[in-house]
């Protein structure tokens, strides 16, 4: 079985310090949280950025400063910027961090009702455009899917040349408006992936560690972090992203999976940079 790739989603765009004081806003805090996750065993840092007061942004220069600061201390870590942005942003606003030529970036494969009147828009043309830009810029997309139909969309657009194979999916489960985080639904999504694909599971909230265990046993990979879940156990706030990664490492050891280094992760995912 392949070694386990751990991705740390260290901040997100929605969680705040009111939810957990460890959520990073400043450059120094981003470096701290990335470092704690990396030192615990994460080889990929999934990155949203904020301004110092906590406002999320897709500004290319803010991404540049944060990414360079992390790389200065942890040069071999893989930084995977998010292109999700915020509701109402244009495609080009969301794509700004891909202009920095990261090794990976996320590509959301469908539209989702986030709750109330908030709709996370990803039309077919948006997905095609993002796919073309990532191919042009030599970036490996992590295909974020929140439901089965989004896997089907990725596969269909892959046949048309907008997404290269082998594909790497992120099964985001337990989000309001998307598929639940039950084991039944994990099996359903997992069985819908092509044989040559790799995948990561991101369980949101209470689903984080049960889905992590399922992915570890199945031979998949795991994403954890304060973006997805602010608790280390029921009612107990995580002290850091590193503490969440450490829990996944303990689970992996229980099930006999070794942890992939950044170099091993690059080999598994076929990264070329």
């Amino acid at each position: 079985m392949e070694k386990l790739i751990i991705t740390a989603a260290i901040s997100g765009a929605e969680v705040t310090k009111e939810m957990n004081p460890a959520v990073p806003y400043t450059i120094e805090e981003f470096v701290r949280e990335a470092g704690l996750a990396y030192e615990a065993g994460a080889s990929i840092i999934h990155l949203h950025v904020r301004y110092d007061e906590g406002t999320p942004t897709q500004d290319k220069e803010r991404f540049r400063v944060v990414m360079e600061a992390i790389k200065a201390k942890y040069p071999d870590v893989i930084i995977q910027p998010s292109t999700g942005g915020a509701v109402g942003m244009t495609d080009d606003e969301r794509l700004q961090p891909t202009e920095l030529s990261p090794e990976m970036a996320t590509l959301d494969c469908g539209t989702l009702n986030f709750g109330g009147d908030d709709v996370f828009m990803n039309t077919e043309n948006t997905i095609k455009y993002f796919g073309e830009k990532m191919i042009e810029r030599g970036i490996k997309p992590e295909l974020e899917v929140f439901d089965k139909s989004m896997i089907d969309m990725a596969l269909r657009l892959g046949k048309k040349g907008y997404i290269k194979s082998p594909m790497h999916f992120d099964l985001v489960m337990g989000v309001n408006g998307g598929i639940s985080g039950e084991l039944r639904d994990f099996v359903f999504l997992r069985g819908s992936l092509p044989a040559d694909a790799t995948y990561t599971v991101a369980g949101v909230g209470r689903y984080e560690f049960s889905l992590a265990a399922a992915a570890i046993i199945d031979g998949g990979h795991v994403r954890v972090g304060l973006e997805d879940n602010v608790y280390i156990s029921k009612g107990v706030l995580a002290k850091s992203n590193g503490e969440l990664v450490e829990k996944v490492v303990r689970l992996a050891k229980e099930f006999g999976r070794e942890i992939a280094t950044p170099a091993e992760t690059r080999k598994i995912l076929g990264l070329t940079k």
Side-chain angles (χ1 to χ4, degrees):
M1 194 176 286
E2 283 180 336
K3 291 187 178 182
L4 177 70
I5 298 169
I6 302 176
T7 298
I10 62 174
S11 65
E14 307 295 333
V15 293
T16 66
K17 287 185 180 295
E18 286 70 34
M19 299 174 186
N20 186 313
V23 174
Y25 290 176
T26 68
I27 295 165
E28 293 76 15
E29 289 170 345
F30 274 106
V31 173
R32 179 198 73 209
E33 287 301 308
L36 290 170
Y38 169 79
E39 289 167 356
S43 56
I44 300 175
I45 301 299
H46 171 71
L47 188 65
H48 294 253
V49 297
R50 313 282 187 102
Y51 291 121
D52 284 357
E53 85 286 355
T55 302
T57 179
Q58 285 296 108
D59 178 68
K60 180 174 71 174
E61 291 310 312
R62 185 65 171 182
F63 267 100
R64 184 196 306 278
V65 171
V66 174
M67 290 166 67
E68 287 179 352
I70 293 171
K71 282 285 194 178
K73 288 200 70 173
Y74 309 99
D76 64 335
V77 75
I78 299 162
I79 299 180
Q80 178 198 88
S82 172
T83 64
V87 173
M89 284 186 179
T90 67
D91 289 352
D92 286 324
E93 283 180 283
R94 291 170 55 185
L95 279 168
Q96 286 182 83
T98 68
E99 296 174 25
L100 302 172
S101 297
E103 296 173 86
M104 299 182 76
T106 59
L107 197 170
D108 294 281
C109 292
T111 295
L112 188 71
N113 291 327
F114 267 161
D117 293 322
D118 288 340
V119 180
F120 182 35
M121 293 292 294
N122 290 283
T123 67
E124 181 174 346
N125 285 339
T126 290
I127 300 165
K128 288 178 178 178
Y129 183 57
F130 280 39
E132 288 176 326
K133 287 295 183 185
M134 290 190 194
I135 290 172
E136 175 188 315
R137 294 168 180 168
I139 297 166
K140 174 91 172 183
E142 181 179 75
L143 304 170
E144 292 208 347
V145 298
F146 298 81
D147 218 333
K148 166 66 163 60
S149 61
M150 299 186 191
I151 295 174
D152 297 335
M153 174 69 80
L155 298 182
R156 186 164 63 83
L157 295 186
K159 290 178 180 178
K160 294 184 176 183
Y162 294 100
I163 301 168
K164 287 185 175 181
S165 290
M167 298 179 184
H168 178 63
F169 289 85
D170 182 24
L171 310 180
V172 185
M173 304 182 67
V175 173
N176 183 36
I179 201 166
S180 88
E182 301 298 334
L183 184 59
R184 168 204 63 194
D185 294 322
F186 165 72
V187 172
F188 179 48
L189 293 186
R190 171 67 182 90
S192 303
L193 302 178
D196 65 345
T198 51
Y199 76 90
T200 290
V201 173
V204 174
R206 65 187 178 90
Y207 296 112
E208 185 163 68
F209 294 109
S210 59
L211 285 173
I216 291 166
I217 294 168
D218 183 64
H221 306 287
V222 175
R223 178 177 117 174
V224 291
L226 295 174
E227 173 174 355
D228 301 330
N229 168 46
V230 298
Y231 297 99
I232 191 65
S233 58
K234 187 174 181 179
V236 180
L237 290 175
K239 296 175 183 176
S240 68
N241 281 282
E243 188 177 30
L244 296 169
V245 173
E246 286 169 357
K247 186 168 180 176
V248 173
V249 171
R250 290 196 299 273
L251 284 172
K253 287 180 179 177
E254 290 292 329
F255 293 117
R257 289 282 299 276
E258 293 184 58
I259 307 303
T261 65
E264 291 166 335
T265 294
R266 288 181 173 93
K267 186 174 181 180
I268 293 167
L269 297 181
L271 303 180
T272 58
K273 294 186 180 180

